[in-house]
Coordinates of all heavy atoms in Angstrom, one line a residue:
F271 N 113.6 113.8 89.2 CA 114.7 113.6 90.2 C 116.0 113.1 89.5 O 117.1 113.6 89.6 CB 114.3 112.7 91.3 CG 115.3 112.3 92.3 CD1 115.5 113.1 93.5 CD2 116.1 111.1 92.2 CE1 116.5 112.7 94.4 CE2 117.0 110.8 93.1 CZ 117.2 111.5 94.2
A275 N 119.7 114.6 88.4 CA 121.0 114.0 88.6 C 121.8 113.9 87.4 O 123.0 114.2 87.4 CB 120.8 112.6 89.2
I285 N 130.6 112.5 90.9 CA 129.6 111.5 91.1 C 129.5 111.0 92.6 O 128.4 110.9 93.1 CB 129.8 110.3 90.2 CG1 129.5 110.8 88.7 CG2 129.0 109.1 90.5 CD1 129.9 109.8 87.7
M288 N 127.9 113.5 94.8 CA 126.4 113.6 94.7 C 125.7 112.5 95.5 O 124.8 112.7 96.2 CB 126.1 113.5 93.2 CG 124.6 113.9 92.9 SD 124.0 113.3 91.3 CE 125.3 113.9 90.2
D289 N 126.3 111.3 95.4 CA 125.7 110.2 96.1 C 125.8 110.4 97.6 O 124.8 110.2 98.4 CB 126.4 108.9 95.8 CG 125.8 108.1 94.7 OD1 124.7 108.5 94.2 OD2 126.4 107.1 94.2
K290 N 127.0 110.9 98.1 CA 127.2 111.2 99.5 C 126.2 112.3 100.0 O 125.7 112.2 101.1 CB 128.6 111.6 99.8 CG 128.9 111.7 101.3 CD 130.3 112.0 101.6 CE 130.6 112.0 103.1 NZ 129.8 112.9 103.8
A291 N 126.0 113.3 99.2 CA 125.1 114.4 99.6 C 123.7 113.9 99.8 O 123.1 114.3 100.8 CB 125.1 115.5 98.5
M292 N 123.2 113.0 99.0 CA 121.9 112.5 99.2 C 121.8 111.5 100.3 O 120.7 111.4 101.0 CB 121.3 111.9 97.9 CG 121.2 112.9 96.7 SD 120.5 114.5 97.2 CE 118.8 114.0 97.7
M293 N 122.8 110.8 100.6 CA 122.8 109.9 101.7 C 122.9 110.7 103.0 O 122.3 110.4 104.0 CB 124.0 108.9 101.6 CG 123.8 107.9 100.6 SD 125.1 106.6 100.5 CE 124.8 105.7 102.0
M297 N 118.7 109.7 102.4 CA 118.3 108.6 101.5 C 119.1 107.4 101.8 O 120.3 107.5 102.1 CB 118.5 109.1 100.1 CG 117.7 110.4 99.7 SD 115.9 110.1 99.7 CE 115.7 109.5 98.0
P298 N 118.6 106.2 101.5 CA 119.4 105.0 101.7 C 120.5 104.8 100.8 O 121.6 104.2 101.1 CB 118.3 103.8 101.6 CG 117.2 104.4 100.7 CD 117.2 105.9 101.1
V299 N 120.4 105.3 99.5 CA 121.5 105.3 98.6 C 121.4 106.6 97.8 O 120.3 107.2 97.7 CB 121.4 104.1 97.6 CG1 121.6 102.8 98.3 CG2 120.1 104.0 96.8
G300 N 122.5 106.9 97.1 CA 122.5 108.1 96.3 C 121.8 107.8 94.9 O 121.6 106.6 94.5
P301 N 121.5 108.8 94.1 CA 120.9 108.6 92.8 C 121.7 107.8 91.8 O 121.1 107.1 91.0 CB 120.6 110.0 92.3 CG 121.6 110.9 93.0 CD 121.8 110.2 94.4
I302 N 123.0 107.9 91.9 CA 123.9 107.2 90.9 C 123.9 105.7 91.3 O 123.8 104.8 90.4 CB 125.3 107.8 90.9 CG1 125.2 109.3 90.6 CG2 126.1 107.2 89.8 CD1 124.4 109.8 89.4
T303 N 124.1 105.5 92.6 CA 124.1 104.1 93.0 C 122.7 103.4 92.8 O 122.6 102.3 92.4 CB 124.4 104.0 94.6 OG1 125.7 104.5 94.8 CG2 124.3 102.6 95.1
L304 N 121.6 104.2 92.9 CA 120.3 103.7 92.6 C 120.2 103.2 91.2 O 119.6 102.2 90.9 CB 119.2 104.8 92.9 CG 117.8 104.4 92.7 CD1 117.4 103.3 93.6 CD2 116.9 105.6 92.9
C305 N 120.8 104.0 90.2 CA 120.8 103.6 88.8 C 121.5 102.3 88.6 O 121.0 101.4 87.9 CB 121.5 104.7 88.0 SG 120.5 106.1 87.6
D306 N 122.6 102.1 89.3 CA 123.3 100.8 89.2 C 122.5 99.7 89.8 O 122.6 98.6 89.3 CB 124.7 100.9 90.0 CG 125.8 101.5 89.2 OD1 125.5 101.8 88.0 OD2 126.9 101.7 89.7
E307 N 121.8 99.9 90.9 CA 121.0 98.9 91.5 C 119.8 98.5 90.7 O 119.5 97.3 90.5 CB 120.5 99.3 92.9 CG 121.7 99.6 93.9 CD 122.4 98.3 94.3 OE1 121.9 97.2 94.1 OE2 123.5 98.4 94.9
Y355 N 129.7 102.4 89.1 CA 130.7 101.9 90.0 C 131.1 100.5 89.6 O 130.4 99.8 88.7 CB 130.1 101.8 91.4 CG 129.9 103.2 92.0 CD1 128.6 103.8 92.0 CD2 130.9 103.9 92.7 CE1 128.3 105.0 92.5 CE2 130.6 105.2 93.3 CZ 129.3 105.7 93.2 OH 129.1 106.9 93.7
K367 N 133.9 101.4 97.6 CA 133.4 101.2 96.2 C 134.1 102.2 95.3 O 134.3 103.3 95.6 CB 131.9 101.5 96.3 CG 131.2 101.1 95.0 CD 129.7 101.0 95.2 CE 129.1 102.3 95.7 NZ 127.6 102.3 95.7
L398 N 117.8 118.3 93.8 CA 117.2 117.0 93.6 C 115.9 116.8 94.3 O 114.9 116.3 93.8 CB 118.2 115.9 94.0 CG 119.5 115.8 93.1 CD1 120.4 114.7 93.7 CD2 119.1 115.4 91.7

Side-chain angles (χ1 to χ4, degrees):
F271 172 91
I285 288 171
M288 194 196 312
D289 269 350
K290 187 177 186 305
M292 296 317 296
M293 290 182 72
M297 303 291 275
V299 296
I302 309 304
T303 297
L304 181 63
C305 283
D306 274 358
E307 296 293 342
Y355 293 95
K367 191 165 57 174
L398 293 175

